[in-house]
Amino acid sequence: GFSGLPTAPTGMTWGGVPMIKAYDVSQAGDDLLTSVWYLPIGDSETEETAMLAVTGGSFDFGRVSNSAVYDGINQADPAGQIATNSGTGTSASVTIDPDNTASLIVFSYQGYNSVSMASGQNEREDNANGENSYRSVIADKRQTTGGSAAYSASVGNGGWTAGALELNPDVTAPDVAFQYAGVLDAFSGLTPGAVYYLQNTAGTIGTSPGSTSIKVGRALSATELLINQP
């Protein structure tokens, strides 16, 4: 998060590797800007240095949040639905409609004064900047029911920005006998209509080909895969 509202960041690297921007959300009245970036890194938890490139006039860092590493995320297609919101007052909220019920929703908040996360959200980080009274929070919550869900925080009165990023779960091939063709109803978290390929990690499939492009089939539903016939 930033104060002084610069032009949105134009690039970020993690250990020298370019990251992917999820979203920017700003609140002009209080000069707030939150920018969220991600990078699929598998199961690695190696500590690296994040480098940020920003263009525009002078500004202050309100808070640069620490990194959060999540296991069990689909490395080929990590980011799903995104929602942002901003405003003033004592309640920061954002509503998101994730693609499937196994997703992990990461909630980001930046604003003024105290903050209290809504029930069920696991607070991963809570940083305060005493000089300017800015506070930023990262929290997460498993999406366990279908349909939209609200993610929110009770905050001290003032400007705020909030966002929610869906992290898609890893899709693991089921432990079943070999099936040559037809519909296999034994998966979870598939995206209906998407084509799936074998991945480099044994027993996993994804929507992007592995090192060798081997198509497995097309998803008919979140649990059913129409096996590709050679």
Side-chain angles (χ1 to χ4, degrees), residues 98-104 141-147 166 169 188-189 222:
D99 293 324
N100 64 72
T101 59
S103 295
L104 179 70
K141 180 181 180 181
R142 288 287 175 186
Q143 174 67 11
T144 57
T145 59
E166 175 190 11
S188 65

PDB file of all heavy atoms in Angstrom, residues 98-104 141-147 166 169 188-189 222:
ATOM      1  N   PRO A  98     -16.333 -16.642  -6.348  1.00  0.00           N
ATOM      2  CA  PRO A  98     -15.255 -17.526  -6.812  1.00  0.00           C
ATOM      3  C   PRO A  98     -15.747 -18.622  -7.742  1.00  0.00           C
ATOM      4  O   PRO A  98     -16.926 -18.972  -7.763  1.00  0.00           O
ATOM      5  CB  PRO A  98     -14.693 -18.107  -5.517  1.00  0.00           C
ATOM      6  CG  PRO A  98     -15.795 -17.986  -4.543  1.00  0.00           C
ATOM      7  CD  PRO A  98     -16.561 -16.762  -4.910  1.00  0.00           C
ATOM      8  N   ASP A  99     -14.796 -19.181  -8.508  1.00  0.00           N
ATOM      9  CA  ASP A  99     -15.136 -20.173  -9.524  1.00  0.00           C
ATOM     10  C   ASP A  99     -15.509 -21.524  -8.923  1.00  0.00           C
ATOM     11  O   ASP A  99     -16.270 -22.270  -9.514  1.00  0.00           O
ATOM     12  CB  ASP A  99     -13.952 -20.366 -10.481  1.00  0.00           C
ATOM     13  CG  ASP A  99     -13.709 -19.125 -11.313  1.00  0.00           C
ATOM     14  OD1 ASP A  99     -14.690 -18.462 -11.682  1.00  0.00           O
ATOM     15  OD2 ASP A  99     -12.534 -18.808 -11.588  1.00  0.00           O
ATOM     16  N   ASN A 100     -14.942 -21.876  -7.780  1.00  0.00           N
ATOM     17  CA  ASN A 100     -15.268 -23.164  -7.182  1.00  0.00           C
ATOM     18  C   ASN A 100     -15.164 -23.077  -5.665  1.00  0.00           C
ATOM     19  O   ASN A 100     -14.594 -22.142  -5.107  1.00  0.00           O
ATOM     20  CB  ASN A 100     -14.377 -24.276  -7.736  1.00  0.00           C
ATOM     21  CG  ASN A 100     -12.924 -24.065  -7.377  1.00  0.00           C
ATOM     22  OD1 ASN A 100     -12.534 -24.230  -6.227  1.00  0.00           O
ATOM     23  ND2 ASN A 100     -12.113 -23.684  -8.356  1.00  0.00           N
ATOM     24  N   THR A 101     -15.727 -24.068  -4.995  1.00  0.00           N
ATOM     25  CA  THR A 101     -15.878 -24.012  -3.542  1.00  0.00           C
ATOM     26  C   THR A 101     -14.615 -24.378  -2.778  1.00  0.00           C
ATOM     27  O   THR A 101     -14.610 -24.323  -1.550  1.00  0.00           O
ATOM     28  CB  THR A 101     -17.010 -24.946  -3.089  1.00  0.00           C
ATOM     29  OG1 THR A 101     -16.706 -26.285  -3.514  1.00  0.00           O
ATOM     30  CG2 THR A 101     -18.335 -24.516  -3.691  1.00  0.00           C
ATOM     31  N   ALA A 102     -13.555 -24.755  -3.471  1.00  0.00           N
ATOM     32  CA  ALA A 102     -12.319 -25.107  -2.777  1.00  0.00           C
ATOM     33  C   ALA A 102     -11.295 -23.977  -2.815  1.00  0.00           C
ATOM     34  O   ALA A 102     -10.165 -24.148  -2.367  1.00  0.00           O
ATOM     35  CB  ALA A 102     -11.714 -26.373  -3.394  1.00  0.00           C
ATOM     36  N   SER A 103     -11.676 -22.829  -3.349  1.00  0.00           N
ATOM     37  CA  SER A 103     -10.735 -21.727  -3.514  1.00  0.00           C
ATOM     38  C   SER A 103     -10.330 -21.121  -2.170  1.00  0.00           C
ATOM     39  O   SER A 103     -11.062 -21.167  -1.188  1.00  0.00           O
ATOM     40  CB  SER A 103     -11.355 -20.629  -4.376  1.00  0.00           C
ATOM     41  OG  SER A 103     -11.583 -21.080  -5.688  1.00  0.00           O
ATOM     42  N   LEU A 104      -9.135 -20.524  -2.182  1.00  0.00           N
ATOM     43  CA  LEU A 104      -8.665 -19.729  -1.056  1.00  0.00           C
ATOM     44  C   LEU A 104      -8.785 -18.261  -1.453  1.00  0.00           C
ATOM     45  O   LEU A 104      -8.243 -17.853  -2.482  1.00  0.00           O
ATOM     46  CB  LEU A 104      -7.210 -20.067  -0.728  1.00  0.00           C
ATOM     47  CG  LEU A 104      -6.569 -19.295   0.422  1.00  0.00           C
ATOM     48  CD1 LEU A 104      -7.191 -19.723   1.753  1.00  0.00           C
ATOM     49  CD2 LEU A 104      -5.063 -19.551   0.462  1.00  0.00           C
ATOM     50  N   LYS A 141      -9.253 -16.860   3.668  1.00  0.00           N
ATOM     51  CA  LYS A 141     -10.403 -17.648   4.085  1.00  0.00           C
ATOM     52  C   LYS A 141     -10.749 -18.646   2.992  1.00  0.00           C
ATOM     53  O   LYS A 141     -10.778 -18.296   1.809  1.00  0.00           O
ATOM     54  CB  LYS A 141     -11.604 -16.727   4.344  1.00  0.00           C
ATOM     55  CG  LYS A 141     -12.885 -17.425   4.791  1.00  0.00           C
ATOM     56  CD  LYS A 141     -13.989 -16.412   4.990  1.00  0.00           C
ATOM     57  CE  LYS A 141     -15.278 -17.069   5.447  1.00  0.00           C
ATOM     58  NZ  LYS A 141     -16.371 -16.081   5.616  1.00  0.00           N
ATOM     59  N   ARG A 142     -10.990 -19.889   3.374  1.00  0.00           N
ATOM     60  CA  ARG A 142     -11.415 -20.895   2.411  1.00  0.00           C
ATOM     61  C   ARG A 142     -12.863 -20.643   2.007  1.00  0.00           C
ATOM     62  O   ARG A 142     -13.712 -20.341   2.847  1.00  0.00           O
ATOM     63  CB  ARG A 142     -11.305 -22.303   3.007  1.00  0.00           C
ATOM     64  CG  ARG A 142      -9.874 -22.798   3.152  1.00  0.00           C
ATOM     65  CD  ARG A 142      -9.268 -23.159   1.822  1.00  0.00           C
ATOM     66  NE  ARG A 142      -7.871 -23.527   1.952  1.00  0.00           N
ATOM     67  CZ  ARG A 142      -7.070 -23.780   0.919  1.00  0.00           C
ATOM     68  NH1 ARG A 142      -7.538 -23.682  -0.319  1.00  0.00           N
ATOM     69  NH2 ARG A 142      -5.817 -24.110   1.105  1.00  0.00           N
ATOM     70  N   GLN A 143     -13.121 -20.759   0.714  1.00  0.00           N
ATOM     71  CA  GLN A 143     -14.482 -20.639   0.212  1.00  0.00           C
ATOM     72  C   GLN A 143     -15.121 -22.019   0.308  1.00  0.00           C
ATOM     73  O   GLN A 143     -14.806 -22.915  -0.463  1.00  0.00           O
ATOM     74  CB  GLN A 143     -14.490 -20.138  -1.228  1.00  0.00           C
ATOM     75  CG  GLN A 143     -15.851 -20.109  -1.885  1.00  0.00           C
ATOM     76  CD  GLN A 143     -16.769 -19.079  -1.265  1.00  0.00           C
ATOM     77  OE1 GLN A 143     -16.347 -18.258  -0.479  1.00  0.00           O
ATOM     78  NE2 GLN A 143     -18.040 -19.129  -1.616  1.00  0.00           N
ATOM     79  N   THR A 144     -16.015 -22.194   1.268  1.00  0.00           N
ATOM     80  CA  THR A 144     -16.562 -23.523   1.531  1.00  0.00           C
ATOM     81  C   THR A 144     -17.997 -23.691   1.060  1.00  0.00           C
ATOM     82  O   THR A 144     -18.560 -24.766   1.164  1.00  0.00           O
ATOM     83  CB  THR A 144     -16.499 -23.828   3.036  1.00  0.00           C
ATOM     84  OG1 THR A 144     -17.207 -22.811   3.745  1.00  0.00           O
ATOM     85  CG2 THR A 144     -15.060 -23.874   3.526  1.00  0.00           C
ATOM     86  N   THR A 145     -18.601 -22.635   0.558  1.00  0.00           N
ATOM     87  CA  THR A 145     -19.958 -22.724   0.032  1.00  0.00           C
ATOM     88  C   THR A 145     -19.999 -22.110  -1.354  1.00  0.00           C
ATOM     89  O   THR A 145     -19.143 -21.298  -1.715  1.00  0.00           O
ATOM     90  CB  THR A 145     -20.959 -21.984   0.941  1.00  0.00           C
ATOM     91  OG1 THR A 145     -20.565 -20.610   1.048  1.00  0.00           O
ATOM     92  CG2 THR A 145     -20.994 -22.607   2.329  1.00  0.00           C
ATOM     93  N   GLY A 146     -20.990 -22.482  -2.129  1.00  0.00           N
ATOM     94  CA  GLY A 146     -21.109 -21.937  -3.467  1.00  0.00           C
ATOM     95  C   GLY A 146     -21.630 -20.514  -3.461  1.00  0.00           C
ATOM     96  O   GLY A 146     -22.139 -20.015  -2.463  1.00  0.00           O
ATOM     97  N   GLY A 147     -21.497 -19.843  -4.596  1.00  0.00           N
ATOM     98  CA  GLY A 147     -22.021 -18.494  -4.735  1.00  0.00           C
ATOM     99  C   GLY A 147     -21.095 -17.437  -4.176  1.00  0.00           C
ATOM    100  O   GLY A 147     -19.964 -17.707  -3.784  1.00  0.00           O
ATOM    101  N   GLU A 166      -9.004 -14.540  -5.653  1.00  0.00           N
ATOM    102  CA  GLU A 166      -9.251 -15.973  -5.545  1.00  0.00           C
ATOM    103  C   GLU A 166      -8.006 -16.737  -5.992  1.00  0.00           C
ATOM    104  O   GLU A 166      -7.484 -16.511  -7.080  1.00  0.00           O
ATOM    105  CB  GLU A 166     -10.434 -16.376  -6.418  1.00  0.00           C
ATOM    106  CG  GLU A 166     -10.673 -17.880  -6.457  1.00  0.00           C
ATOM    107  CD  GLU A 166     -11.698 -18.295  -7.499  1.00  0.00           C
ATOM    108  OE1 GLU A 166     -12.074 -17.443  -8.340  1.00  0.00           O
ATOM    109  OE2 GLU A 166     -12.108 -19.459  -7.483  1.00  0.00           O
ATOM    110  N   PRO A 169      -7.454 -23.822  -6.371  1.00  0.00           N
ATOM    111  CA  PRO A 169      -6.791 -24.988  -5.785  1.00  0.00           C
ATOM    112  C   PRO A 169      -6.099 -25.839  -6.835  1.00  0.00           C
ATOM    113  O   PRO A 169      -6.475 -25.835  -8.012  1.00  0.00           O
ATOM    114  CB  PRO A 169      -7.951 -25.751  -5.137  1.00  0.00           C
ATOM    115  CG  PRO A 169      -9.135 -25.382  -5.985  1.00  0.00           C
ATOM    116  CD  PRO A 169      -8.916 -23.952  -6.384  1.00  0.00           C
ATOM    117  N   SER A 188     -12.031 -32.889  -8.469  1.00  0.00           N
ATOM    118  CA  SER A 188     -12.625 -31.751  -7.770  1.00  0.00           C
ATOM    119  C   SER A 188     -11.924 -30.486  -8.252  1.00  0.00           C
ATOM    120  O   SER A 188     -10.748 -30.519  -8.596  1.00  0.00           O
ATOM    121  CB  SER A 188     -12.478 -31.890  -6.251  1.00  0.00           C
ATOM    122  OG  SER A 188     -11.109 -31.847  -5.885  1.00  0.00           O
ATOM    123  N   GLY A 189     -12.659 -29.390  -8.300  1.00  0.00           N
ATOM    124  CA  GLY A 189     -12.051 -28.115  -8.648  1.00  0.00           C
ATOM    125  C   GLY A 189     -11.794 -27.880 -10.118  1.00  0.00           C
ATOM    126  O   GLY A 189     -11.084 -26.931 -10.472  1.00  0.00           O
ATOM    127  N   ALA A 222     -17.225 -29.579 -12.488  1.00  0.00           N
ATOM    128  CA  ALA A 222     -16.142 -29.452 -11.516  1.00  0.00           C
ATOM    129  C   ALA A 222     -15.540 -30.794 -11.146  1.00  0.00           C
ATOM    130  O   ALA A 222     -14.410 -30.879 -10.668  1.00  0.00           O
ATOM    131  CB  ALA A 222     -16.646 -28.748 -10.256  1.00  0.00           C
TER     132      ALA A 222
END
